[in-house]
């Protein structure tokens, strides 16, 4: 996956120490004849199906970041309509020794246009799934989707 330049610059200064980063997850849905469909991508690094996610650029508005990530990763235009979930993720480590922890901001997004494709090399596949056809996914991914699909007008905050 492409590492944003601002993170590369930080790494030159602090090495592998844990970074606290802001990220977004975009749960994109659309109505289809078979019911509600959810856009998922299959990640190149883990081979897992997930909602589209990414790092917020410095100064970028979170909803704009979610919409940008969907277009960059899946070739789909979507609009962030509602903040669904905010939570701190566990610490992560990469094979090169880098560590990070993410504040994840999850948005419920509405599909506008485009056909899913693995647009930027971060994913090997991108497609729509009905709720009945969802692939096996981590519980944290299912919780994000559930918050986007079934939450009320207010966001859910982990405690």
């Amino acid at each position: 996956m492409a590492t944003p330049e601002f993170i590369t610059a930080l790494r030159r200064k602090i090495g592998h120490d844990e970074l606290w980063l802001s990220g977004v997850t975009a749960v994109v849905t659309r109505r289809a004849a078979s019911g509600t469909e959810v856009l998922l991508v299959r990640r190149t690094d883990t081979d897992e199906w997930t909602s589209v996610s990414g790092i917020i650029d410095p100064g970028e508005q979170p909803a704009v970041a979610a919409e940008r990530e969907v277009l960059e990763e899946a070739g789909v235009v979507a609009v962030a309509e509602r903040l669904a979930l905010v939570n701190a993720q566990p610490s992560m480590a990469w094979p090169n020794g880098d560590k990070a922890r993410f504040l994840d901001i999850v948005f419920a997004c509405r599909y506008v246009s485009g056909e899913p494709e693995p647009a930027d090399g971060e994913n090997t596949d991108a497609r729509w799934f009905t709720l009945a056809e969802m692939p096996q996914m981590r519980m944290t991914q299912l919780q994000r989707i559930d918050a986007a699909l079934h939450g009320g007008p207010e966001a859910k905050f982990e405690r």
Side-chain angles (χ1 to χ4, degrees):
M1 278 193 219
T3 302
E5 176 53 36
F6 81 94
I7 292 177
T8 303
L10 283 171
R11 288 285 177 213
R12 284 192 294 269
K13 294 177 182 176
I14 69 161
H16 299 297
D17 289 353
E18 186 172 271
L19 291 174
W20 175 246
L21 299 170
S22 299
V24 290
T25 297
V27 179
V28 183
T29 60
R30 73 175 183 180
R31 293 270 182 221
S34 56
T36 299
E37 294 181 325
V38 178
L39 176 66
L40 299 177
V41 293
R42 190 169 210 160
R43 297 175 53 102
T44 58
D45 58 347
T46 63
D47 200 40
E48 295 178 9
W49 286 100
T50 69
S51 294
V52 173
S53 62
I55 297 170
I56 302 170
D57 290 335
E60 186 177 31
Q61 295 296 332
V64 172
E67 295 166 356
R68 173 183 54 78
E69 289 289 347
V70 172
L71 184 59
E72 286 178 1
E73 290 190 17
V76 168
V77 176
V79 175
E81 294 193 313
R82 183 175 61 81
L83 178 63
L85 175 66
V86 177
N87 65 6
Q89 296 295 302
S91 184
M92 300 173 64
W94 284 263
N96 70 353
D98 287 351
K99 297 180 191 92
R101 183 181 299 261
F102 287 89
L103 174 66
D104 187 40
I105 303 168
V106 181
F107 288 95
C109 299
R110 176 179 45 86
Y111 167 77
V112 175
S113 64
E115 286 303 313
E117 62 173 331
D120 68 357
E122 290 188 32
N123 303 295
T124 60
D125 200 355
R127 64 176 122 145
W128 297 104
F129 288 89
T130 65
L131 298 178
E133 302 170 327
M134 297 285 279
Q136 184 174 355
M137 299 170 68
R138 290 181 187 235
M139 183 56 68
T140 55
Q141 286 295 321
L142 295 172
Q143 289 168 339
R144 292 170 186 160
I145 293 168
D146 184 64
L149 292 177
H150 302 109
E154 68 285 340
K156 179 181 177 187
F157 301 99
E158 295 291 324
R159 302 229 184 261

